[in-house]
Amino acid sequence: MLVSPSILTCDFAHVADEFAFVEASGADMVHLDVMDGVFVPNLSFGPPVIARMRPLTDLTFDVHLMMQYPHRLIDAFADAGADIINFHVESDSPVEETIAAIRARGKKAALTIKPRTPAEAVFPYLDKIDMVLVMTVEPGFGGQKFMADMLPKIAQLRREIDRRGLSVTIEVDGGIASATAPSVAAAGVDIAVVGSALFNAPDAAALVDEIHGLRTADAAHCQP
Ligand code: DX5
Ligand code: ZN
């Protein structure tokens, strides 16, 4: 599996050092959690901050929009330097239009589902997106406990993607650490978001190596 570190729990006053830490760990990209205080009960940062972060690293920016109206700011996030734009199927955005807006800017489009949303919610869009992000905690905060009852949903999604011969990547977000990563790899996840476990790890490079060593159930679908 690939690793996308969530910088939500990093020291934002020294974010350049935190990017250097992420690069030194050998991680594959960086996960940026955007919260609007409406869709989730927390507030983080938006396009101006991402634009200032962009020159600090060459890593892919995997941007996770926890916003009620993500379609209003797709161009702003594209201008700021997002590479992958994840938005929630439960948001109040027109799904197909938002996907089209992301792709029109040459960015990868990803649909995200909260724990209580069934896999079927993204089935109508699977041939139009690059990735599905499955939440394994309620979005809003880092450091929460992994919800193991999401594993059948991930496996169901993997089966549907494979049955239709699509090359949609599956990413998982929330509570991923040494103890939980093997189960999501076995269920068919390609990319693991790792936040607090990576920033608190005694040896971040060893944790990234360990996750890299886990084979996704169908590795053919793994795209950097
Ligand atoms: C939760 C965020 C996650 C989270 C991951 O709303 O989307 O990206 O910060 O952090 P950990 O790995 O600590 O659960
Ligand atoms: Zn996230």
Side-chain angles (χ1 to χ4, degrees), residues 3-74:
V3 181
S4 187
S6 161
I7 61 164
L8 191 61
T9 47
C10 87
D11 178 356
F12 281 102
H14 301 98
V15 75
D17 296 338
E18 299 290 36
F19 281 124
F21 169 81
V22 169
E23 286 179 2
S25 76
D28 305 279
M29 53 189 84
V30 54
H31 184 85
L32 302 178
D33 287 303
V34 174
M35 304 185 185
D36 69 352
V38 177
F39 185 76
V40 288
N42 199 2
L43 196 60
S44 60
F45 50 82
V49 175
I50 294 177
R52 287 292 192 168
M53 290 172 174
R54 186 62 283 185
L56 302 177
T57 179
D58 290 330
L59 289 171
T60 295
F61 273 4
D62 170 33
V63 177
H64 176 194
L65 303 181
M66 284 161 273
M67 298 173 59
Q68 199 68 32
Y69 305 106
H71 63 291
R72 294 179 181 170
L73 288 176
I74 296 304

Side-chain angles (χ1 to χ4, degrees), residues 6-170:
S6 161
I7 61 164
L8 191 61
T9 47
C10 87
D11 178 356
F12 281 102
H14 301 98
V15 75
D17 296 338
E18 299 290 36
F19 281 124
F21 169 81
V22 169
E23 286 179 2
S25 76
D28 305 279
M29 53 189 84
V30 54
H31 184 85
L32 302 178
D33 287 303
V34 174
M35 304 185 185
D36 69 352
V38 177
F39 185 76
V40 288
N42 199 2
L43 196 60
S44 60
F45 50 82
V49 175
I50 294 177
R52 287 292 192 168
M53 290 172 174
R54 186 62 283 185
L56 302 177
T57 179
D58 290 330
L59 289 171
T60 295
F61 273 4
D62 170 33
V63 177
H64 176 194
L65 303 181
M66 284 161 273
M67 298 173 59
Q68 199 68 32
Y69 305 106
H71 63 291
R72 294 179 181 170
L73 288 176
I74 296 304
D75 279 330
F77 284 107
D79 290 342
D83 299 298
I84 303 169
I85 301 182
N86 301 272
F87 71 100
H88 277 262
V89 75
E90 308 89 354
S91 72
D92 280 333
S93 281
V95 175
E96 298 212 15
E97 273 174 49
T98 307
I99 293 168
I102 295 168
R103 290 193 145 180
R105 293 298 307 266
K107 309 299 180 185
K108 289 194 171 171
L111 261 181
T112 309
I113 50 175
K114 296 204 282 187
R116 280 190 279 264
T117 303
E120 287 88 348
V122 299
F123 285 3
Y125 311 107
L126 284 178
D127 58 346
K128 301 177 180 69
I129 56 178
D130 300 287
M131 184 164 89
V132 178
L133 172 57
V134 179
M135 296 302 303
T136 41
V137 297
E138 285 297 338
F141 300 91
Q144 302 183 77
K145 191 175 176 297
F146 173 74
M147 299 167 74
D149 51 346
M150 295 297 112
L151 292 169
K153 182 163 87 174
I154 296 166
Q156 181 192 0
L157 192 56
R158 175 87 277 160
R159 280 195 304 274
E160 180 67 8
I161 290 167
D162 291 354
R163 186 186 69 76
R164 289 164 58 179
L166 299 169
S167 60
V168 177
T169 300
I170 301 179

